[in-house]
Amino acid sequence: MDVSGTGGLTDDRVLLGRTSTAERVADILRTRIAEGYFPPGARLSEESIGGALGVSRNTLREAFRLLTHERLLVHELNRGVFVRVLAVEDVDDIYRTRRLVECAVVRGLGQPPFAVEGLAAAVAEGEAAARADDWTGVSTANIHFHRELVALAGSARTDELMRGVLAELRLAFHVVDDPRALHEPYLRRNREILEALRAGERASAERLLARYLDDSRARVAAACARAVDDPAAPAG
């Protein structure tokens, strides 16, 4: 069968631009959600966001669809699109995924030395934010730390998977009533993992990471449970 012709693909050229734009808009909104600009439960206005970004309603709706598929947004009939509010079961599943992926990345690093420059920069970023009493900044630096950790695998697919997982995790962080209490202990633990990898102690780094993720899951799940029980409580 001869498939050397264009098969009418010229007519589909317009889809490339539209899809690319929708993905770029989704990237922007994903980052804003992760940074807390759009907190859990917030309604996203098509008119306001489309006007601010200078994109069509169709493009924006496609971006919303992509983020709904990633479980960052929910569409409520006759009400609109909202940033998702996580349940405890969501937190458990997120951390189960993180433990499977992040620990596997460390386990599969091969022989030292490891390229830990990105991890070191994220640790320094978090410590500087803590000195400035910027606990949202510490949270952001922590996300950067785990992105850099996963990036050690050198896998674009793993990076893409964890980008969505970590953005979804950030939704849970936003319901914590005391962000300092949540994030401060992990500044030291991030540094411990960094130093273990810097020393080439891959097995030690994996053990530290596994305990880290188990402890973090328990704290974040408890915070989400409190938020569900008392939705009027102040969010972090």
Side-chain angles (χ1 to χ4, degrees), residues 135-188:
W135 297 100
T136 299
V138 171
S139 174
T140 297
N142 187 54
I143 294 292
H144 292 166
F145 177 85
H146 290 279
R147 283 181 182 168
E148 292 293 339
L149 182 71
V150 171
L152 292 174
S155 166
R157 291 174 179 83
T158 306
D159 289 344
E160 183 177 359
L161 167 67
M162 290 305 295
R163 181 180 61 176
V165 169
L166 292 173
E168 195 176 357
L169 173 67
R170 195 64 180 267
L171 297 180
F173 287 171
H174 295 316
V175 304
V176 173
D177 56 2
D178 187 351
R180 177 172 184 168
L182 175 67
H183 297 300
E184 190 170 32
Y186 297 98
L187 290 168
R188 172 182 55 80

Side-chain angles (χ1 to χ4, degrees), residues 3-186:
V3 294
S4 58
T6 64
L9 289 177
T10 303
D11 295 336
D12 292 335
R13 185 182 298 173
V14 65
L15 299 177
L16 295 175
R18 187 169 68 206
T19 302
S20 176
T21 302
E23 289 175 349
R24 289 197 299 269
V25 171
D27 280 340
I28 291 168
L29 295 178
R30 185 187 299 107
T31 299
R32 291 289 192 169
I33 291 167
E35 292 174 349
Y37 186 85
F38 299 118
R43 181 179 179 276
L44 302 188
S45 165
E46 286 187 4
E47 183 177 356
S48 298
I49 294 173
L53 295 177
V55 297
S56 71
R57 179 165 292 184
N58 284 342
T59 295
L60 186 59
R61 287 178 176 174
E62 174 63 12
F64 285 170
R65 188 193 66 78
L66 292 171
L67 295 177
T68 299
H69 180 70
E70 294 178 17
R71 296 176 297 278
L72 295 177
L73 302 179
V74 292
H75 180 267
E76 297 186 12
L77 190 62
N78 299 324
R79 295 194 64 222
V81 175
F82 296 80
V83 178
R84 191 158 170 254
V85 178
L86 297 188
V88 173
E89 292 79 7
D90 296 314
V91 174
D92 287 339
D93 194 34
I94 288 168
Y95 273 91
R96 186 161 46 247
T97 302
R98 291 185 67 191
R99 208 177 192 281
L100 285 169
V101 174
E102 294 186 43
C103 290
V105 166
V106 173
R107 192 181 317 123
L109 282 178
Q111 296 302 312
F114 307 125
V116 298
E117 294 80 9
L119 285 176
V123 167
E125 177 190 355
E127 292 171 346
R131 288 193 294 272
D133 201 30
D134 175 10
W135 297 100
T136 299
V138 171
S139 174
T140 297
N142 187 54
I143 294 292
H144 292 166
F145 177 85
H146 290 279
R147 283 181 182 168
E148 292 293 339
L149 182 71
V150 171
L152 292 174
S155 166
R157 291 174 179 83
T158 306
D159 289 344
E160 183 177 359
L161 167 67
M162 290 305 295
R163 181 180 61 176
V165 169
L166 292 173
E168 195 176 357
L169 173 67
R170 195 64 180 267
L171 297 180
F173 287 171
H174 295 316
V175 304
V176 173
D177 56 2
D178 187 351
R180 177 172 184 168
L182 175 67
H183 297 300
E184 190 170 32
Y186 297 98

